[in-house]
């Protein structure tokens, strides 16, 4: 099966909560991109990538434009990327990716959930060996595209030879070195590919098997963590139900 499918089963990557919460999180990403590279998407690759993701999540154009405009305001908060790592119940590794303007508040929120579920929040980098950090790009298929040739063109950027094709959506997903994010994006755009999603992700390389009851507890913990607006995504190394 495709890597994306297997990852989604294994990591249980989910988007919880209402659509408004998702838009709030994307709005923070837009703010960071605008402050770093300006408000013009054509001159800001990171902003273009986030806008593509926003559209995939059905975020209205007015919301996107408003987020860009708000990011240019002098009174806007400066968001920082913070990651928190630890073990949840039953020995499952949990990686929490956040954007926050108040790390003290965020770490307190995250720690409270770990404590509630009898987990143990570790130091930054303590679980890095359990996850592979990847850049992930999804783009629309083009008639006559030779994927092997495209991958060969991108191999210098650390793009893997394994990719996923979603026939229903008519899209292709590739995985590469996060340090080459901008170069991969530039190559795709210059060669006429419509990027519909671009993000960083963490893929577990050591899966932990759990019982149905244990899985339910971990799912509840993930849901509680993603209730916080500061939390962007939660990853685990919990094996899929069929593993």
């Amino acid at each position: 099966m495709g890597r994306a499918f297997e990852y989604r089963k294994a990591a249980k990557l989910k988007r919880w909560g209402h659509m408004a919460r998702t838009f709030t999180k994307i709005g923070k990403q837009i703010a960071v991109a605008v402050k770093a590279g300006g408000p013009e998407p054509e001159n800001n690759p990171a902003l273009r990538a986030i806008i593509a993701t926003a559209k995939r999540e059905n975020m209205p154009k007015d919301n996107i434009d408003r987020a860009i405009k708000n990011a240019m305001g002098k009174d806007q908060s400066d968001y920082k990327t913070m990651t928190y790592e630890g073990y949840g119940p039953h020995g499952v590794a949990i990686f929490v990716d956040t954007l926050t303007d108040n790390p003290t508040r965020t770490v307190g929120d995250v720690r409270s959930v770990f404590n509630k579920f009898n987990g143990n929040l570790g130091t930054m980098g303590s679980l890095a060996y359990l996850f592979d950090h990847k850049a992930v790009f999804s783009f629309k298929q083009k008639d006559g595209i030779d994927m092997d040739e495209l991958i060969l063109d991108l191999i210098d950027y650390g793009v893997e030879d394994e990719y996923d094709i979603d026939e229903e959506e008519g899209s292709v997903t590739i995985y590469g070195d996060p340090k080459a994010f901008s170069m991969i994006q530039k190559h795709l755009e210059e060669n006429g590919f419509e990027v519909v999603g671009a993000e960083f992700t963490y893929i577990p390389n050591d899966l932990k098997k759990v019982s149905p009851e244990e899985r339910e507890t971990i799912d509840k913990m993930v849901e509680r963590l993603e209730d916080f607006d500061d939390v962007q995504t939660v990853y685990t190394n919990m094996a899929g139900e069929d593993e």
Side-chain angles (χ1 to χ4, degrees):
M1 293 184 179
R3 181 167 184 167
F5 178 74
E6 291 298 331
Y7 168 60
R8 290 187 182 98
K9 287 201 308 176
K12 297 296 290 181
L13 174 59
K14 294 182 178 180
R15 298 181 185 274
W16 297 88
H18 299 295
M19 187 175 295
R21 185 178 298 123
T22 299
F23 293 169
T24 297
K25 295 180 179 184
I26 293 176
K28 287 186 177 183
Q29 297 174 26
I30 289 175
V32 171
V34 169
K35 285 184 177 294
E40 302 298 334
E42 59 269 25
N43 299 321
N44 188 336
L47 181 58
R48 287 201 303 275
I50 295 168
I51 289 175
T53 299
K55 290 178 178 178
R56 185 187 63 194
E57 294 292 341
N58 297 316
M59 186 172 183
K61 184 178 183 301
D62 286 347
N63 293 46
I64 297 173
D65 293 341
R66 189 181 311 115
I68 293 174
K69 182 178 179 179
N70 289 342
M72 295 185 291
K74 293 182 179 180
D75 59 343
Q76 286 298 298
S77 300
D78 288 324
Y79 294 108
K80 298 179 181 178
T81 299
M82 303 291 294
T83 58
Y84 302 96
E85 308 158 47
Y87 284 98
H90 317 300
V92 171
I94 298 178
F95 194 102
V96 186
D97 200 11
T98 75
L99 271 179
T100 177
D101 59 351
N102 188 333
T104 301
R105 176 194 66 221
T106 304
V107 70
D109 289 340
V110 171
R111 182 178 286 113
S112 70
V113 176
F114 272 82
N115 290 341
K116 179 178 180 179
F117 286 86
N118 297 316
N120 180 30
L121 188 62
T123 58
M124 186 177 297
S126 60
L127 300 185
Y129 70 98
L130 293 176
F131 294 86
D132 294 325
H133 192 199
K134 297 292 181 182
V136 183
F137 287 87
S138 296
F139 52 90
K140 289 292 185 180
Q141 285 182 288
K142 289 172 59 177
D143 292 337
I145 179 64
D146 186 328
M147 280 303 302
D148 291 334
E149 184 176 330
L150 176 61
I151 294 298
L152 187 61
D153 289 341
L154 290 169
I155 199 167
D156 289 339
Y157 304 144
V159 171
E160 301 175 0
D161 59 5
E162 188 174 355
Y163 53 86
D164 295 292
I165 296 178
D166 188 326
E167 298 291 353
E168 184 176 346
E169 295 292 332
S171 64
V172 179
T173 300
I174 60 174
Y175 307 83
D177 184 348
K179 295 179 181 179
F181 187 94
S182 294
M183 291 185 290
I184 297 171
Q185 180 181 355
K186 181 179 179 181
H187 184 91
L188 292 172
E189 291 177 345
E190 288 183 345
N191 284 274
F193 291 97
E194 180 187 351
V195 177
V196 294
E199 59 188 346
F200 297 102
T201 193
Y202 290 86
I203 299 177
N205 55 49
D206 182 26
L207 301 180
K208 176 75 174 179
K209 292 185 178 181
V210 296
S211 69
E213 293 77 14
E214 292 170 341
R215 180 181 306 282
E216 183 177 355
T217 300
I218 295 297
D219 283 344
K220 287 180 179 179
M221 182 177 180
V222 170
E223 180 178 5
R224 183 66 189 89
L225 284 167
E226 291 200 337
D227 275 343
F228 295 120
D229 287 340
D230 291 341
V231 173
Q232 292 290 303
T233 315
V234 178
Y235 307 87
T236 84
N237 70 337
M238 181 168 58
E241 295 184 44
D242 298 329
E243 295 289 340

